[in-house]
Amino acid sequence: MSNSIGKMFTVTTFGSSHGKAIGAIIDGCPAGLCLSEEDIQIELNERKPSNSELSTSRNESDKVHIVSGVFNGKTDGTPILGIVFNKDVDSSAYTNLKDNPRPGHGDFCWISKYDIYDYRGGGRGSGRNTIGHVIGGAVAKKILNAIGIEVISHVTQIKDIKSKPMSLKLIKKYSRKNTIRCSDLEAAKRMEKKILQLKKKGDSVGGIVETIILGLPVGLGEPVFNKLDAELTHALMNIGSVKGVEIGSGFKSAELTGIEMNDEYFLDEENNIKTKTNNSGGILGGMSNGMPIIMRMSVKPTPSISIPQKTVNLTKMEETEIIINGRHDPCICPRIVPVAESAVAIVLVDHLIRSGLINPCKI
Amino acid sequence: MSNSIGKMFTVTTFGSSHGKAIGAIIDGCPAGLCLSEEDIQIELNERKPSNSELSTSRNESDKVHIVSGVFNGKTDGTPILGIVFNKDVDSSAYTNLKDNPRPGHGDFCWISKYDIYDYRGGGRGSGRNTIGHVIGGAVAKKILNAIGIEVISHVTQIKDIKSKPMSLKLIKKYSRKNTIRCSDLEAAKRMEKKILQLKKKGDSVGGIVETIILGLPVGLGEPVFNKLDAELTHALMNIGSVKGVEIGSGFKSAELTGIEMNDEYFLDEENNIKTKTNNSGGILGGMSNGMPIIMRMSVKPTPSISIPQKTVNLTKMEETEIIINGRHDPCICPRIVPVAESAVAIVLVDHLIRSGLINPCKI
Amino acid sequence: MSNSIGKMFTVTTFGSSHGKAIGAIIDGCPAGLCLSEEDIQIELNERKPSNSELSTSRNESDKVHIVSGVFNGKTDGTPILGIVFNKDVDSSAYTNLKDNPRPGHGDFCWISKYDIYDYRGGGRGSGRNTIGHVIGGAVAKKILNAIGIEVISHVTQIKDIKSKPMSLKLIKKYSRKNTIRCSDLEAAKRMEKKILQLKKKGDSVGGIVETIILGLPVGLGEPVFNKLDAELTHALMNIGSVKGVEIGSGFKSAELTGIEMNDEYFLDEENNIKTKTNNSGGILGGMSNGMPIIMRMSVKPTPSISIPQKTVNLTKMEETEIIINGRHDPCICPRIVPVAESAVAIVLVDHLIRSGLINPCKI
Amino acid sequence: MSNSIGKMFTVTTFGSSHGKAIGAIIDGCPAGLCLSEEDIQIELNERKPSNSELSTSRNESDKVHIVSGVFNGKTDGTPILGIVFNKDVDSSAYTNLKDNPRPGHGDFCWISKYDIYDYRGGGRGSGRNTIGHVIGGAVAKKILNAIGIEVISHVTQIKDIKSKPMSLKLIKKYSRKNTIRCSDLEAAKRMEKKILQLKKKGDSVGGIVETIILGLPVGLGEPVFNKLDAELTHALMNIGSVKGVEIGSGFKSAELTGIEMNDEYFLDEENNIKTKTNNSGGILGGMSNGMPIIMRMSVKPTPSISIPQKTVNLTKMEETEIIINGRHDPCICPRIVPVAESAVAIVLVDHLIRSGLINPCKI
């Protein structure tokens, strides 16, 4: 099993939901970046349960410690270890799950593959492991911010409730303003209501998260096997519960004709080459074309629900029923928002270094 | 730029549309696999233009030569070089494109990134470069076949014409029976008509291709950053014109609740653990769960159309209009079918070796 | 900067001499290996200063904590984080070194490359960072032991004092019996005396360390760019102070003729193919041939000496003189012994997995 | 088996001694480098048999074809395929070797590992495969030359005959002036005589090759697991027949004391920081320090000799005798000279890109 992503800017994560700690090593960060624990903590706080009914009741401060890689407030080019110790561990709800794989979870695959499986809280397969992504992403975002690149994610749909079309400016302004992380504040209220309704029934619900990248130079990405869209999609699909990713006009492209799909070029008032439309979602031939990059991912409903479900007991090899207790989010979309930003930020920094647009040694 | 894919089973492709040759090196193929040029040729023939009105009129035999890696009819563990020499090269249609990037193509990104760009026929950005994918895929498929794993792709939609729901058995039976590569033979006829209508107008059209994997063992894939769905999606997004990939219930998952989405487990008549439904598309927690893997990708309309389009002349830095001649497929979906199979097969073999399910040295 | 080694069994190290902690992540360890903190501690204790006059007076317990990757006493296939917190940090001796690079150290290169440099105790360039190597090596050795492979290192020369030729059996028996780590106990005494003599003068001394691998199967290594001898040499040269590595008859090979050098084959009493001599040092064509692997590395004298030396002040850009205080080993050879074993063990496990001789998922 | 080297500048080689062709793909070469077949041919001609008695009588023109990656005389950033077709193949001398592994060769390891082995002319284990190294090295050297970095190799010893100490200037001047590739022209004559004496007896002989790098900036290399000395050593040990590599004072370091070994810093007339001596061989802490890099490798005698040798017949599993005919160099050192330069050049370019000192996309 490999737990690393990135070729030149490499993030390796470790830890499990109910183990001692969770975290990440960032290797390949250039020296000279101002970095404090607070920088990472801000991002981790965005990932934390929201203390509302919308979220798991597990109560973790998720306090990060930077153990290495920072000297006198700046990165020094050596590996950055960020670690969060688990505090509020309650494994009691999981003992009945030991031999009974939960539908929609990876339990059955883990056990089949490794024989040994830390089933407590989903072990390393838990959503809690995205703490590592976010630690890596926090460092990547600091680098991106320094060169004017922004990554913004927001929820655009929960079940059949969709946010209205909004300008990038308004999306940026409102995307972190509510617990749903939906920039359309009115839709957000209806989404919240829908989630709580389903939660009451012991059920959960899915949705759609959109990720936007602004400020990218032209030509990021490699044109054959490391296309920017392919690597971004890879990063987003790596997030648990994501079942599909599209870019630009995405699945709608299938129904368009060439003249409808193609984005014609023009010169803007600053004499930059831009496209009139952005059906491509900012990537052509695997490389950024200078337009905003717009991706959407579909997120399945949280598989942990308290409605009884059929499963198979692996020891007895007989069919049985399972009821999942434990503490779970009825909808994972809001908490995927910072994780998606992190995943994307890591890919971008890696590509920027690989393209010679960020110096690999010192900023 | 890196032109390789795979960690243990590595395919590196080279060449351009109007250069001397195109091909691939397969490095990491175990010794002892029977392999002939014919094995690769069969797959390349599936990728070739169809000699019908549906396809480019470029007439290439695409004859492959195995230059290394095979000794007495078997692979010997050393790198396999497969090469196809370009024959029917006609660069005349491309000179006007030199400074005028084509909408929907990567031209502008290539020139911005590398300054030098072999614009003839799209250079290395051409769809013709998937010859390298298919050479690599042909070797991968031979390995998969030897252990009972099948990869099947077919077209399920062109514009708004959709194939009817069909059993896996029938899909397998009919998927390569027509030039559209649609298993629903009746829908295929309507698709063909639609494509030719649009072609007559100088336009093109998109569609959807589905890829199915059968016979995979449980536990393929790595649970954090190299999830099987993420790596498969990466491979499919690397194919030019693909704008979205989904697995299982994909984008529909966003509208489902947990009890609708989760696939409950049961024991089949051979006492194997299976799921009743397959909303997950055969992958949970980044690992295969023993069910068929089902992915769909949206394919945009061919960007090369003969309708006049606006662009910007890069030398003069002024807006201009472009008419694209050359020889192009009005719909790329049928020819993506074998490329998607190849891309997927390469990922699978790489993962099977990385998981210890195929011996890396000898079969 | 990349701080990882290994393709399938990957060790990433972090931390600096006077930072908060030092350690390693081991990624790609198969599940099912019994592993305790004690297993790693034993190896770390071999690396620790010897509490004799031969060693630095820095007093660290080097207590390791396993933070992740072990469940119920066994590895579970997820990344293993081993961490050692620094305790006895005294940076006072280093402030005068901030701008004055020490001859024989990497200071000047670090500052030139990264601008920022944690000069305290040599920072990440310190020999103390081999704690990470040893944590990784301890896990690798446990795997090797489980399949009957042994790695033994010992000191064979200090300055001009050489150990007598000894059988592998005796080397194994005595190699860890004294603080010099020389199996020839009589020579060890003379070596110790020589080191203390030089230490009294404020000087230091070099030597030679030999590493032997027993029990390796035939065919480990890859024949072109990842030759086993090349990867082992790489690993040994990565250890600070090593200035040369040779295998088998090594540099003496230059003076031999073919008939003297070639190792003829014969059948031993168990009908195994062996060679009569072992000038090749157990590796031919980049692959193991079933004979013991024998490598030697030359270790330069510790560069930190208290004799005044000329250097250049980097701020003033003028020549100056430096006297190095701090706590240093007058001869680094004995402490390189466990580090060399670790470095070699990591390469071997990685190659065994890459060759299909160890299952990458579970033991 | 992996046949690639380099992380950002990657060379993948293919082919075998008696197969159809041999060559290399260079992936990651920046666009904009002037490159012709002649540039590569010059280097291949240096590697070719010398047409003297010192060399194999196999008569190959080794004509290289650039198949891809060059457009209008310049690299365009896409993979460069260089290929040499084998012409003068005579496999008759090898049939008796099929089951009888040659002492000192990798035959036995190949067969044990892969079962199938192209034994003709040593197959992929043949020295002829360094054609791939040299093709990659020729491209790397062009890049290095463009930024003022030189790599020079020369023979310093054959058996016990050593070249006299010479200035870098004279070494550069004379290193390619004779078939022995020894800059000391007088010693070269004695070396030649010695080689021919041994050849007459059917024997062969070893020697020492030195490689010097001039013009490197300070700070190349990574300080932990990818030290410049470690990666250079790795590259040199990958060359067949090399049994040891040392840098600077190398194995002599073992006998020195700290004050003898350390290179003190001073300011030269141009106010650059230099060291008075160069015992470190230009690398400290794994990074270049601005001084010339000086490495030496020991080369064993060619294992193919016509004196009868004992071996084991693998089919009959009984001891037997072998006489090796075929066409062989009695001393491989002169032909290792260009290969060593190539191997080193590839590592340097890869590190220069990884360090941000060469732009990865365009020169």
Side-chain angles (χ1 to χ4, degrees):
Chain A
M1 188 197 309
S2 162
N3 291 269
S4 293
I5 195 158
K7 199 171 169 179
M8 291 288 287
F9 181 81
T10 307
V11 176
T12 303
T13 67
F14 61 87
S16 61
S17 182
H18 289 209
K20 285 187 192 164
I22 264 179
I25 285 191
I26 298 102
D27 200 7
C29 180
L33 181 76
C34 291
L35 187 71
S36 67
E37 291 180 346
E38 184 60 17
D39 290 323
I40 298 176
Q41 197 64 53
I42 287 168
E43 294 296 323
L44 283 175
N45 291 348
E46 294 286 328
R47 198 212 72 91
K48 269 203 313 180
S50 62
N51 284 327
S52 77
E53 277 189 283
L54 288 171
S55 213
T56 167
S57 59
R58 181 167 174 177
N59 183 14
E60 289 275 7
S61 62
D62 287 351
K63 171 85 189 78
V64 71
H65 302 271
I66 295 180
V67 169
S68 64
V70 175
F71 181 59
N72 292 337
K74 288 188 175 177
T75 59
D76 65 357
T78 70
I80 302 161
L81 171 60
I83 191 165
V84 166
F85 291 95
N86 290 322
K87 303 283 186 188
D88 182 24
V89 171
D90 173 7
S91 306
S92 61
Y94 294 92
T95 42
N96 74 316
L97 305 181
K98 199 179 161 182
D99 293 316
N100 303 317
R102 296 166 295 172
H105 274 286
D107 303 354
F108 171 57
C109 307
W110 277 90
I111 297 167
S112 302
K113 181 161 193 173
Y114 299 106
D115 287 352
I116 292 169
Y117 172 52
D118 179 355
Y119 56 86
R120 303 165 308 162
R124 182 138 180 80
S126 163
R128 189 157 171 73
N129 288 291
T130 55
I131 284 176
H133 296 62
V134 172
I135 292 172
V139 177
K141 276 178 161 185
K142 275 227 87 172
I143 297 173
L144 293 179
N145 289 348
I147 56 174
I149 297 169
E150 278 180 288
V151 182
I152 305 140
S153 290
H154 64 130
V155 172
T156 61
Q157 185 179 334
I158 296 292
K159 213 169 182 325
D160 52 353
I161 305 168
K162 301 180 185 181
S163 70
K164 64 182 181 207
M166 295 176 77
S167 68
L168 289 179
K169 203 174 150 187
L170 288 176
I171 290 169
K172 273 177 64 169
K173 187 168 175 188
Y174 291 116
S175 66
R176 292 194 170 195
K177 290 290 190 228
N178 53 35
T179 47
I180 295 285
R181 302 289 156 79
C182 172
S183 302
D184 176 346
L185 304 182
E186 187 277 326
K189 279 183 199 157
R190 286 184 289 134
M191 291 173 178
E192 185 164 348
K193 202 172 153 192
K194 173 64 75 181
I195 294 170
L196 295 178
Q197 263 174 12
L198 284 160
K199 185 188 176 188
K200 213 171 280 178
K201 294 185 192 169
D203 209 347
S204 63
V205 68
I208 287 182
V209 173
E210 186 175 73
T211 296
I212 300 163
I213 308 167
L214 300 174
L216 222 52
V218 180
L220 203 69
E222 296 177 2
V224 179
F225 285 128
N226 301 294
K227 289 187 170 165
L228 186 58
D229 35 1
E231 295 215 352
L232 289 171
T233 304
H234 184 149
L236 295 176
M237 284 293 276
N238 269 334
I239 303 170
S241 299
V242 174
K243 299 303 288 181
V245 181
E246 61 178 10
I247 181 158
S249 58
F251 272 87
K252 271 186 209 139
S253 313
E255 305 206 1
L256 301 180
T257 73
I259 196 67
E260 291 164 350
M261 177 78 196
N262 283 349
D263 302 308
E264 292 183 302
Y265 291 104
F266 74 103
L267 287 167
D268 72 4
E269 53 276 33
E270 283 156 348
N271 224 33
N272 292 314
I273 296 168
K274 297 284 173 194
T275 62
K276 296 178 187 177
T277 48
N278 190 13
N279 287 316
S280 75
I283 302 183
L284 282 172
M287 292 172 279
S288 58
N289 70 354
M291 298 297 292
I293 287 173
I294 295 171
M295 307 188 84
R296 272 171 307 280
M297 71 209 84
S298 79
V299 180
K300 73 175 185 182
T302 318
S304 291
I305 52 175
S306 56
I307 300 171
Q309 296 175 91
K310 296 275 196 314
T311 186
V312 171
N313 183 290
L314 300 177
T315 311
K316 302 183 191 161
M317 278 305 275
E318 62 184 32
E319 298 181 0
T320 181
E321 206 175 75
I322 195 171
I323 291 171
I324 301 168
N325 298 309
R327 301 165 293 184
H328 308 287
D329 297 81
C331 178
I332 208 70
C333 290
R335 297 184 64 199
I336 277 187
V337 162
V339 178
E341 292 180 3
S342 290
V344 163
I346 292 166
V347 170
L348 293 179
V349 171
D350 189 43
H351 263 288
L352 286 159
I353 294 176
R354 282 155 60 183
S355 292
L357 296 167
I358 293 179
N359 185 296
C361 296
K362 50 192 170 191
I363 282 186
Chain B
M1 188 197 311
S2 162
N3 291 270
S4 293
I5 194 158
K7 200 171 169 178
M8 291 288 288
F9 180 82
T10 307
V11 176
T12 303
T13 68
F14 61 87
S16 60
S17 182
H18 289 209
K20 286 188 192 164
I22 264 179
I25 285 190
I26 298 104
D27 200 8
C29 180
L33 181 75
C34 291
L35 187 72
S36 67
E37 290 180 346
E38 183 60 18
D39 290 323
I40 299 176
Q41 197 63 54
I42 287 168
E43 295 296 323
L44 283 175
N45 291 348
E46 294 286 328
R47 199 211 71 92
K48 270 204 313 180
S50 61
N51 284 328
S52 77
E53 277 188 283
L54 288 170
S55 214
T56 166
S57 58
R58 180 167 174 178
N59 183 14
E60 287 277 7
S61 62
D62 287 352
K63 170 86 190 78
V64 72
H65 303 270
I66 296 180
V67 169
S68 64
V70 175
F71 181 58
N72 292 339
K74 288 189 175 176
T75 59
D76 66 357
T78 69
I80 301 161
L81 171 60
I83 192 165
V84 166
F85 291 94
N86 290 321
K87 303 283 188 190
D88 182 24
V89 171
D90 173 10
S91 306
S92 61
Y94 294 91
T95 42
N96 74 317
L97 305 181
K98 199 179 162 183
D99 293 315
N100 302 317
R102 296 166 295 173
H105 275 286
D107 304 352
F108 172 57
C109 307
W110 277 90
I111 297 167
S112 302
K113 181 161 193 172
Y114 299 106
D115 287 352
I116 292 170
Y117 172 52
D118 179 356
Y119 55 86
R120 303 166 308 161
R124 181 136 181 81
S126 162
R128 188 156 173 75
N129 288 290
T130 55
I131 284 176
H133 296 63
V134 172
I135 293 173
V139 177
K141 276 179 161 184
K142 276 228 87 173
I143 297 174
L144 293 179
N145 289 349
I147 55 174
I149 296 169
E150 278 180 289
V151 183
I152 305 141
S153 291
H154 63 131
V155 173
T156 61
Q157 185 178 333
I158 296 292
K159 212 168 184 322
D160 53 352
I161 305 168
K162 299 180 187 183
S163 69
K164 64 183 180 208
M166 294 175 79
S167 69
L168 289 179
K169 203 174 147 186
L170 288 176
I171 291 170
K172 272 176 67 170
K173 187 167 173 189
Y174 292 117
S175 65
R176 291 194 172 194
K177 291 289 190 230
N178 52 37
T179 47
I180 295 285
R181 302 289 156 81
C182 172
S183 301
D184 176 347
L185 304 183
E186 186 277 325
K189 279 182 199 157
R190 286 184 289 136
M191 290 172 179
E192 186 165 345
K193 202 171 152 192
K194 173 65 75 182
I195 294 170
L196 294 179
Q197 264 173 12
L198 285 159
K199 185 187 176 188
K200 214 171 279 178
K201 294 185 192 169
D203 209 347
S204 63
V205 67
I208 288 182
V209 174
E210 185 174 74
T211 297
I212 299 163
I213 308 168
L214 300 174
L216 222 53
V218 180
L220 203 70
E222 296 177 4
V224 179
F225 285 128
N226 300 295
K227 289 186 169 164
L228 186 58
D229 35 1
E231 295 215 353
L232 289 172
T233 302
H234 185 148
L236 295 176
M237 284 293 277
N238 269 335
I239 302 171
S241 300
V242 174
K243 298 303 287 182
V245 180
E246 60 178 11
I247 181 159
S249 57
F251 271 87
K252 271 184 209 142
S253 313
E255 305 206 1
L256 301 179
T257 73
I259 196 68
E260 291 164 351
M261 176 79 194
N262 283 349
D263 303 308
E264 293 182 303
Y265 290 105
F266 75 102
L267 287 167
D268 72 4
E269 51 279 31
E270 283 156 348
N271 225 32
N272 292 314
I273 296 169
K274 298 285 173 193
T275 61
K276 295 178 189 177
T277 47
N278 190 14
N279 287 316
S280 74
I283 301 183
L284 283 172
M287 292 172 280
S288 58
N289 70 355
M291 298 297 293
I293 287 173
I294 296 171
M295 307 188 84
R296 271 172 306 282
M297 70 210 85
S298 78
V299 179
K300 75 174 184 182
T302 318
S304 291
I305 52 175
S306 56
I307 300 170
Q309 295 175 91
K310 296 276 195 316
T311 186
V312 170
N313 183 291
L314 300 177
T315 311
K316 303 184 191 160
M317 277 306 275
E318 62 183 34
E319 297 181 0
T320 182
E321 205 175 75
I322 195 171
I323 292 170
I324 300 169
N325 298 311
R327 300 165 294 183
H328 308 287
D329 297 82
C331 178
I332 208 71
C333 291
R335 296 184 64 198
I336 277 187
V337 162
V339 178
E341 292 180 5
S342 290
V344 162
I346 292 166
V347 170
L348 293 179
V349 171
D350 190 43
H351 263 289
L352 286 160
I353 294 176
R354 281 155 60 184
S355 292
L357 296 167
I358 292 179
N359 186 296
C361 296
K362 49 192 170 191
I363 283 186
Chain C
M1 189 197 310
S2 161
N3 291 269
S4 293
I5 195 159
K7 199 172 169 180
M8 291 286 288
F9 180 80
T10 308
V11 177
T12 304
T13 68
F14 61 88
S16 61
S17 183
H18 289 208
K20 285 188 191 164
I22 264 179
I25 285 191
I26 298 104
D27 201 7
C29 181
L33 181 75
C34 291
L35 187 71
S36 67
E37 290 180 347
E38 183 61 17
D39 289 324
I40 298 175
Q41 197 62 54
I42 287 168
E43 295 296 323
L44 282 175
N45 291 348
E46 293 286 328
R47 198 212 71 93
K48 271 205 311 182
S50 63
N51 284 328
S52 78
E53 277 189 280
L54 288 171
S55 213
T56 166
S57 59
R58 180 167 174 177
N59 183 14
E60 289 276 7
S61 62
D62 288 351
K63 171 84 189 79
V64 72
H65 302 271
I66 296 180
V67 169
S68 64
V70 175
F71 181 59
N72 292 338
K74 289 188 175 176
T75 58
D76 65 357
T78 70
I80 302 161
L81 171 60
I83 192 165
V84 166
F85 291 96
N86 289 322
K87 303 283 186 189
D88 182 23
V89 171
D90 173 8
S91 307
S92 62
Y94 294 92
T95 42
N96 75 314
L97 305 181
K98 199 179 160 182
D99 294 315
N100 303 317
R102 296 165 295 173
H105 275 285
D107 305 353
F108 172 56
C109 306
W110 277 90
I111 297 167
S112 302
K113 181 161 193 171
Y114 299 106
D115 286 353
I116 292 170
Y117 172 52
D118 179 356
Y119 56 86
R120 304 164 308 161
R124 181 138 181 81
S126 162
R128 188 158 172 74
N129 287 291
T130 55
I131 284 176
H133 296 62
V134 172
I135 292 173
V139 177
K141 276 178 160 185
K142 276 227 87 174
I143 297 173
L144 294 178
N145 289 349
I147 54 173
I149 296 169
E150 278 179 288
V151 182
I152 304 140
S153 290
H154 63 131
V155 172
T156 62
Q157 184 177 335
I158 297 292
K159 211 167 184 330
D160 53 351
I161 305 167
K162 300 181 185 181
S163 70
K164 64 183 182 204
M166 294 177 77
S167 69
L168 289 179
K169 202 174 149 187
L170 287 176
I171 290 170
K172 274 177 65 171
K173 186 167 176 190
Y174 292 116
S175 66
R176 292 193 170 194
K177 290 291 190 226
N178 53 36
T179 47
I180 295 286
R181 302 287 157 82
C182 172
S183 301
D184 176 346
L185 303 182
E186 186 277 327
K189 278 182 198 156
R190 286 184 289 135
M191 290 173 177
E192 184 165 349
K193 203 172 152 192
K194 173 64 75 182
I195 294 170
L196 294 178
Q197 263 174 12
L198 285 159
K199 184 187 177 189
K200 214 172 278 177
K201 293 185 193 172
D203 209 347
S204 64
V205 68
I208 287 181
V209 174
E210 186 174 75
T211 296
I212 299 163
I213 307 167
L214 300 174
L216 223 53
V218 180
L220 204 70
E222 295 177 4
V224 178
F225 284 128
N226 300 295
K227 289 185 169 166
L228 185 59
D229 36 0
E231 295 216 352
L232 289 171
T233 304
H234 184 148
L236 295 175
M237 284 293 277
N238 268 335
I239 303 170
S241 299
V242 173
K243 299 303 287 182
V245 181
E246 60 178 11
I247 180 159
S249 59
F251 271 86
K252 271 185 209 140
S253 312
E255 306 206 0
L256 300 179
T257 73
I259 196 67
E260 291 164 350
M261 178 77 195
N262 283 348
D263 303 307
E264 293 182 303
Y265 291 105
F266 75 102
L267 287 167
D268 73 3
E269 52 278 28
E270 282 156 349
N271 223 34
N272 292 315
I273 296 168
K274 298 285 173 193
T275 62
K276 295 178 187 178
T277 48
N278 189 14
N279 288 316
S280 74
I283 301 183
L284 282 172
M287 293 172 278
S288 58
N289 69 354
M291 297 297 291
I293 287 173
I294 296 171
M295 307 189 85
R296 272 172 307 281
M297 71 209 83
S298 78
V299 179
K300 74 174 185 182
T302 318
S304 291
I305 54 175
S306 56
I307 300 171
Q309 296 174 91
K310 296 277 196 312
T311 186
V312 171
N313 184 290
L314 299 177
T315 311
K316 302 183 190 163
M317 278 304 276
E318 62 183 32
E319 297 181 2
T320 182
E321 205 174 75
I322 195 171
I323 292 171
I324 300 168
N325 298 310
R327 302 165 293 183
H328 308 287
D329 297 81
C331 178
I332 207 70
C333 291
R335 295 185 63 197
I336 277 188
V337 162
V339 178
E341 293 180 2
S342 290
V344 163
I346 291 166
V347 170
L348 293 178
V349 170
D350 189 42
H351 263 289
L352 286 160
I353 293 176
R354 281 155 59 183
S355 292
L357 296 166
I358 292 179
N359 186 295
C361 296
K362 49 193 170 190
I363 282 187
Chain D
M1 188 197 310
S2 161
N3 290 270
S4 292
I5 196 159
K7 199 171 169 179
M8 292 288 286
F9 180 82
T10 308
V11 177
T12 303
T13 68
F14 60 88
S16 61
S17 183
H18 288 208
K20 285 188 193 164
I22 264 179
I25 284 191
I26 298 103
D27 200 7
C29 180
L33 181 76
C34 291
L35 187 72
S36 66
E37 291 180 346
E38 183 60 16
D39 290 323
I40 299 175
Q41 197 63 52
I42 288 168
E43 294 297 322
L44 283 175
N45 291 348
E46 292 287 327
R47 198 211 72 93
K48 270 205 312 181
S50 62
N51 284 328
S52 79
E53 278 189 282
L54 288 171
S55 212
T56 167
S57 58
R58 179 166 174 177
N59 184 13
E60 289 275 8
S61 61
D62 288 352
K63 171 84 189 80
V64 72
H65 304 271
I66 296 180
V67 169
S68 65
V70 175
F71 181 59
N72 291 339
K74 288 189 175 177
T75 59
D76 64 358
T78 70
I80 302 161
L81 171 61
I83 192 165
V84 166
F85 291 95
N86 289 321
K87 304 282 187 191
D88 183 24
V89 171
D90 173 9
S91 305
S92 61
Y94 294 91
T95 44
N96 75 315
L97 305 179
K98 198 179 160 182
D99 293 315
N100 302 316
R102 296 166 295 173
H105 276 285
D107 305 352
F108 171 56
C109 307
W110 277 91
I111 297 167
S112 302
K113 182 161 192 172
Y114 299 106
D115 287 353
I116 292 170
Y117 172 52
D118 180 356
Y119 55 87
R120 303 165 308 161
R124 181 137 181 82
S126 161
R128 188 157 172 75
N129 287 291
T130 54
I131 284 176
H133 296 62
V134 173
I135 292 172
V139 177
K141 276 177 160 185
K142 276 227 87 174
I143 297 174
L144 294 178
N145 289 349
I147 55 173
I149 296 169
E150 278 180 288
V151 183
I152 305 141
S153 291
H154 63 130
V155 173
T156 62
Q157 185 179 334
I158 297 292
K159 210 169 184 328
D160 54 352
I161 305 168
K162 300 180 186 181
S163 70
K164 65 183 181 206
M166 294 175 78
S167 69
L168 288 180
K169 202 174 149 186
L170 287 177
I171 290 170
K172 273 177 63 169
K173 186 168 176 188
Y174 291 117
S175 65
R176 292 193 170 194
K177 290 289 189 229
N178 53 36
T179 47
I180 295 285
R181 303 287 157 81
C182 172
S183 301
D184 176 347
L185 304 182
E186 185 277 327
K189 279 181 199 160
R190 286 183 289 135
M191 291 173 177
E192 184 165 349
K193 203 171 151 192
K194 173 63 75 182
I195 294 170
L196 294 179
Q197 264 174 12
L198 285 159
K199 185 188 176 187
K200 213 171 281 178
K201 294 184 192 171
D203 209 348
S204 64
V205 68
I208 287 181
V209 174
E210 185 173 74
T211 296
I212 299 162
I213 308 168
L214 299 174
L216 223 53
V218 180
L220 203 69
E222 296 177 4
V224 178
F225 284 128
N226 300 294
K227 289 185 171 168
L228 186 59
D229 35 1
E231 295 216 351
L232 289 171
T233 303
H234 185 147
L236 295 175
M237 284 293 277
N238 268 335
I239 303 171
S241 299
V242 173
K243 300 302 288 181
V245 180
E246 61 178 12
I247 180 159
S249 58
F251 271 87
K252 270 185 209 140
S253 312
E255 306 206 0
L256 300 179
T257 73
I259 196 66
E260 291 164 350
M261 177 78 195
N262 284 348
D263 303 308
E264 293 182 305
Y265 291 105
F266 75 103
L267 286 167
D268 71 5
E269 52 278 30
E270 283 156 349
N271 224 33
N272 293 313
I273 297 168
K274 297 284 172 192
T275 62
K276 295 177 188 178
T277 49
N278 190 14
N279 288 316
S280 74
I283 302 183
L284 282 172
M287 292 172 280
S288 58
N289 70 354
M291 297 297 292
I293 287 174
I294 296 170
M295 308 188 84
R296 272 171 307 279
M297 71 209 83
S298 78
V299 179
K300 73 175 185 182
T302 319
S304 291
I305 53 176
S306 56
I307 300 171
Q309 296 175 92
K310 295 277 196 312
T311 186
V312 170
N313 183 291
L314 299 177
T315 311
K316 303 183 191 162
M317 278 304 276
E318 62 183 33
E319 298 181 1
T320 181
E321 206 174 76
I322 195 172
I323 291 171
I324 300 169
N325 297 311
R327 302 165 294 184
H328 308 286
D329 297 81
C331 177
I332 207 70
C333 291
R335 295 185 62 198
I336 277 187
V337 162
V339 178
E341 292 181 3
S342 290
V344 162
I346 292 166
V347 170
L348 293 179
V349 171
D350 189 43
H351 263 289
L352 286 160
I353 293 176
R354 281 155 59 183
S355 292
L357 296 166
I358 292 179
N359 185 297
C361 297
K362 50 192 171 191
I363 282 187

